[in-house]
Amino acid sequence: MAEQADQLRAWIKRQSAKVQEEIFERRNQGSRIVAVTSGKGGVGKSQLTLNLAIALQQRGQRVVILDADLGLANINILLGYEPSFTLWDVVQKRVSMKDVLQQGPLGLRIIPGASGISQLASLDDVEISGIIEGFQDLEGECDWLLVDTGAGIAANVLSFVLAADEALVVTNPEPPALADAYGLIKSIWEAQGNVRLQLVMNRSKSLKHGEEMGMRVINLAERMLNQPVGFFGVVREDLHAQQAVSRQEPLILLYPSSMAAQDIGDLADQMIHRVKPPKRGRWGQFVHRMSSLLASLPKEFG
C-alpha cells in the first residue's frame, strides 16, 4: 500500500510538472507587444528601440516597430528615409497596413508614426475594425511588436504603455532623467496600469554604476508606490552611438563590437530567453485598449 501511495505521489508530481511546462509554453507563444518609453526626451529611447529590434532580428526573431512618437517620429530619421505612408493613411483608408510597412535592416519592418494617430479616440467601430484587421494580418508574421512611444506622461504616451504586455522604461543616470522616470512610473500606476514595467539604464559610465542608479529608482518606486518594477539592464555610454546617429545607420550594424552594441545584444538575449509576461490578448485587443484609454484617461495626463 505504501509503495502504491509513493507511485501515486510520483505520478501526480510528474503531471503537475507537465501542466506547468505547458502553461509556460503557451505563455511564451505568439507575438508580444512591448512599449519602449521614457519620462523625458533625449535619453536615447528611439535609438535603443531600433537597435534592440535589429538585435532580435539577428537572433532569428521577427520584429515590427510601431513608431508611436506622435509628431516627433524618430525611427525613420535614424534610418535616413522619409516614409511614403503612415498609420494615419490606414485610418483614412488610403492604403492597407501592409502598404504602410517600411522595410528596415535584416528584414525588420516599421510602421511609420503619424501625427493624427491621437484621433484614434474618436474613431468609429468600422474605422477601428479596419486597423485591427491590418494588425491581425501582421501578427502571424512576427514575434515582437516594439512600440516606440513619445516621452513624458501625456495621454497618447500612457495609452500605448498601458495597452502593451510590457513596458521598458528608458532613462539615464542624470538626476532630471531619473526623476522623470520615477514620475512616469508613478503616472502608470496611478492610471492603474496592468502592465509589467522594466527599467533600462542607458548611457551609463559602467555596468555597475548603471545598476546602482537604476536600483535607486526601483527602490523608490517600491517604497513610495508599493509596486514592483524590474531592472532590465544597462547600456553603457559610447561615442559610437552618437556617430551612428550622425550617419543615420544603426549602431549595432555600424559598430557591432562597441560596448553599447554588445549591451543591447545582451538585452535582446534576455528578452528571448526569460519567462515573458502573460499576453493580454491579440494585437486587435491592443488597438481596442489603446483607443479606449485615449478617450478615458484623466485630463491631467493629457
Side-chain angles (χ1 to χ4, degrees):
M1 183 67 71
E3 183 179 352
Q4 289 179 334
D6 289 340
Q7 290 176 347
L8 178 60
R9 281 193 292 268
W11 181 84
I12 292 173
K13 186 175 181 180
R14 288 195 301 271
Q15 294 303 308
S16 298
K18 183 178 179 181
V19 169
Q20 187 176 27
E21 182 179 347
E22 290 176 353
I23 289 173
F24 279 121
E25 183 179 353
R26 287 196 300 271
R27 175 175 171 152
N28 287 320
Q29 286 176 346
S31 52
R32 323 297 299 191
I33 302 171
V34 179
V36 186
T37 190
S38 64
K40 71 183 296 292
V43 299
K45 168 183 57 63
S46 294
Q47 189 182 30
L48 176 64
T49 303
L50 173 61
N51 284 279
L52 183 58
I54 295 173
L56 288 168
Q57 288 281 155
Q58 289 175 325
R59 287 154 175 77
Q61 303 290 293
R62 303 166 301 167
V63 186
V64 172
I65 294 178
L66 170 59
D67 192 341
D69 194 343
L70 310 185
L72 294 171
N74 286 322
I75 299 298
N76 62 299
I77 296 173
L78 292 172
L79 289 172
Y81 74 89
E82 185 66 29
S84 301
F85 301 105
T86 70
L87 185 58
W88 190 240
D89 292 299
V90 178
V91 176
Q92 297 295 299
K93 299 187 181 300
R94 299 189 186 105
V95 295
S96 70
M97 184 70 77
K98 289 191 176 182
D99 291 329
V100 166
L101 281 176
Q102 301 287 318
Q103 295 299 316
L106 305 184
L108 171 67
R109 288 172 293 175
I110 301 155
I111 302 172
S115 58
I117 199 173
S118 59
Q119 297 177 42
L120 285 172
S122 61
L123 297 183
D124 59 34
D125 290 341
V126 174
E127 290 170 321
I128 291 177
S129 296
I131 299 176
I132 290 172
E133 183 178 351
F135 270 85
Q136 288 175 338
D137 288 343
L138 297 177
E139 184 169 23
E141 300 179 5
C142 83
D143 303 302
W144 301 89
L145 173 65
L146 299 188
V147 183
D148 182 31
T149 79
I153 59 171
N156 55 50
V157 174
L158 290 180
S159 65
F160 285 108
V161 173
L162 296 171
D165 298 327
E166 178 177 31
L168 304 182
V169 178
V170 183
T171 187
N172 66 35
E174 296 177 359
L178 295 174
D180 287 341
Y182 171 76
L184 173 60
I185 292 168
K186 181 179 179 182
S187 296
I188 293 169
W189 289 123
E190 286 179 345
Q192 299 181 349
N194 184 25
V195 55
R196 186 165 83 173
L197 299 181
Q198 299 280 341
L199 190 73
V200 179
M201 186 62 62
N202 197 27
R203 297 175 179 169
S204 177
K205 64 182 181 182
S206 70
L207 296 176
K208 181 179 179 182
H209 181 255
E211 184 173 358
E212 290 174 350
M213 300 303 289
M215 290 309 300
R216 291 186 184 182
V217 177
I218 289 171
N219 291 336
L220 178 63
E222 292 182 347
R223 185 172 69 252
M224 300 300 294
L225 307 175
N226 194 30
Q227 295 289 348
V229 178
F231 185 73
F232 201 69
V234 176
V235 179
R236 287 167 287 182
E237 180 72 69
D238 194 327
L239 292 177
H240 292 100
Q242 187 54 50
Q243 293 170 5
V245 171
S246 299
R247 293 180 58 172
Q248 293 183 296
E249 296 184 48
L251 167 72
I252 205 161
L253 298 180
L254 188 59
Y255 302 111
S257 299
S258 63
M259 291 188 301
Q262 293 178 31
D263 294 339
I264 293 171
D266 290 342
L267 296 183
D269 288 333
Q270 186 174 338
M271 287 183 72
I272 295 171
H273 298 298
R274 70 200 168 99
V275 175
K276 304 176 184 69
K279 287 180 63 179
R280 298 174 62 199
R282 296 176 61 83
W283 287 20
Q285 291 170 283
F286 164 73
V287 176
H288 265 308
R289 290 194 299 269
M290 183 179 64
S291 57
S292 298
L293 286 160
L294 278 168
S296 64
L297 279 172
K299 291 183 178 179
E300 60 264 29
F301 294 123

